[in-house]
């Protein structure tokens, strides 16, 4: 059955499967039916299994109201609700650095709407950046099949400008200039750590 | 109502409250009824609100089977199950470093049973360590009111020895020698980052 978040978005069960990412990456690369979340999870599995990085998606926080105990080994949650996370979805460690990011997609062909991000995500990324973490967003223009990695500091400038009455989206032309475009690959499906290498190697504290 | 994990441990709802930690820390410090998890969450709130570190407990992963949609804004989960996490409970960033840890307590007065840890947690900490993260466990001897921070590498040596038929717990006397003892404080309740400062400052890559 299809399970949806309150906002109507389809909920996907974390896979925890042991299937080699290499196998289905061969079949499914480049916008062929996987969600951006699935593509990133797949890439993270590749990075993990190849000792390149340890990056996980955090579980969705759930408020539990009622649990039944038919037996101690099989507690059944009978009433619970989706909660808003107080952080971003992904974090982990790579080359000794703390990484923290969010992944979002749009159907727009011309600009990335800022409403895809939430106050608490922006606040969390500012906090992590302040502690020396590397923070960014991976954004996909689904209709164009194009994928970018934008540094959080660049996102903040549009976010803050919006708060002051500025435009409510980031033009694709600006993203083309400021962000790193990511090309779909096989292993990993989305080689986004290459763009992180550039950030780390450029200026250690400029992310 | 009291909600329990399959292992019988009481489930505590994450607070997300905005109450000042300073207030209840004054009332509740030093083993006065809070669980170790609550004490660490409280300390992390203090560190976050004072721009010292960004460390969060990950939500418990839940497998969702059935959801009702009385309206789009209030999806109700009607059947779901607790899952085992594939990582440790806590991670975050401090002084530009990735921190990753687990917190456990025992009623024993003489040794810390290794059965408090799980294979996947040990594996995850090894992976994070390999990427340059700082990994450790915070362990509490509840009956003694004593609290220690033990580096993951020290834990591994006992863990591996156990796999080879060695003893199934770490003697308190060994912990006293190898770990940093943490003293309850007011703000934060458990000032565990002081011990991390020593790890960072001693040898940058020796954690």
């Amino acid at each position: 059955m299809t399970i949806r978040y309150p906002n109507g978005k389809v909920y996907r069960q974390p896979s925890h499967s042991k299937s080699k990412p290499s196998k289905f990456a061969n079949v499914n690369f480049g916008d062929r039916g996987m969600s951006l979340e699935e593509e990133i999870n797949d890439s993270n599995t590749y990075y993990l299994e190849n000792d390149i990085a340890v990056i996980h998606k955090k579980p969705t926080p759930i408020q539990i109201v009622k649990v039944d105990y038919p037996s101690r080994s099989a507690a059944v949650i009978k009433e619970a609700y989706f909660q808003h996370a107080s952080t971003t979805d992904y974090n982990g460690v790579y080359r000794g650095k703390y990484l923290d990011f969010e992944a979002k997609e749009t159907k727009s062909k011309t600009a990335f709407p800022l409403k895809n991000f939430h106050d608490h995500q922006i606040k969390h990324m500012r906090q992590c950046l302040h502690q020396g973490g590397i923070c960014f967003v991976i954004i996909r223009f689904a209709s164009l099949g194009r994928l970018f990695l934008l540094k959080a500091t660049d996102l903040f400038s549009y976010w803050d400008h919006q708060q002051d009455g500025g435009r409510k989206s980031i033009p694709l032309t600006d993203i083309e200039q400021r962000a790193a475009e990511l090309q779909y690959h096989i292993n990993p499906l989305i080689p986004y750590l290459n763009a992180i290498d550039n950030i780390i190697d450029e200026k250690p504290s400029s992310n």
Side-chain angles (χ1 to χ4, degrees), chain A:
Chain A
M1 80 175 274
T2 305
I3 293 172
R4 290 176 186 281
Y5 285 103
N7 64 5
K9 201 179 138 197
V10 173
Y11 171 86
R12 285 190 179 76
Q13 209 62 251
S15 70
H16 296 304
S17 75
K18 285 285 167 193
S19 65
K20 290 282 171 214
S22 52
K23 232 190 265 172
F24 75 101
N26 272 318
V27 183
N28 282 304
F29 74 102
D31 196 23
R32 299 191 190 174
M34 289 171 96
S35 71
L36 179 57
E37 180 181 316
E38 287 169 325
E39 291 176 353
I40 290 175
N41 289 346
D42 184 55
S43 307
N44 288 342
T45 301
Y46 174 84
Y47 284 134
L48 183 66
E49 291 183 348
N50 289 276
D51 292 332
I52 296 167
V54 182
I55 297 156
H56 289 278
K57 182 173 185 297
K58 294 185 187 177
T60 305
I62 303 229
Q63 184 180 19
I64 296 168
V65 175
K66 190 173 168 225
V67 181
D68 275 3
Y69 300 94
S71 79
R72 282 188 95 195
S73 58
V76 187
I77 298 163
K78 300 298 278 183
E79 184 184 350
Y81 299 89
F82 293 105
Q83 288 183 308
H84 285 291
S86 51
T87 65
T88 49
D89 273 355
Y90 300 89
N91 75 357
V93 58
Y94 172 59
R95 290 179 56 187
K97 303 288 183 184
Y98 173 84
L99 303 193
D100 197 293
F101 66 100
E102 192 63 36
K104 299 285 186 187
E105 48 194 329
T106 184
K107 286 179 182 166
S108 164
K109 293 178 179 176
T110 55
F112 202 89
L114 289 165
K115 69 171 193 285
N116 281 288
F117 301 101
H118 303 289
D119 268 322
H120 67 267
Q121 292 165 340
I122 301 289
K123 186 180 174 192
H124 173 73
M125 286 191 283
R126 285 194 214 270
Q127 290 168 333
C128 291
L129 210 56
H130 184 67
Q131 296 304 327
I134 295 178
C135 304
F136 55 96
V137 292
I138 293 178
I139 56 184
R140 180 161 79 167
F141 286 85
S143 309
L144 306 175
R146 294 182 72 183
L147 200 63
F148 298 89
L149 187 149
L150 184 71
K151 288 192 278 190
T153 44
D154 287 326
L155 173 63
F156 297 162
S157 65
Y158 289 93
W159 184 266
D160 294 341
H161 189 232
Q162 173 201 225
Q163 309 285 329
D164 295 339
R167 60 174 296 164
K168 295 185 187 313
S169 63
I170 313 175
L172 174 59
T173 48
D174 287 22
I175 290 170
E176 285 172 333
Q177 283 187 345
R178 290 184 173 225
E181 184 154 8
L182 304 175
Q183 304 295 340
Y184 281 101
H185 195 73
I186 295 182
N187 282 321
L189 193 50
I190 301 178
Y192 66 93
L193 291 181
N194 297 350
I196 301 305
D197 284 333
N198 292 337
I199 293 174
I200 296 174
D201 296 337
E202 256 175 27
K203 293 183 207 166
S205 60
S206 77
N207 51 334

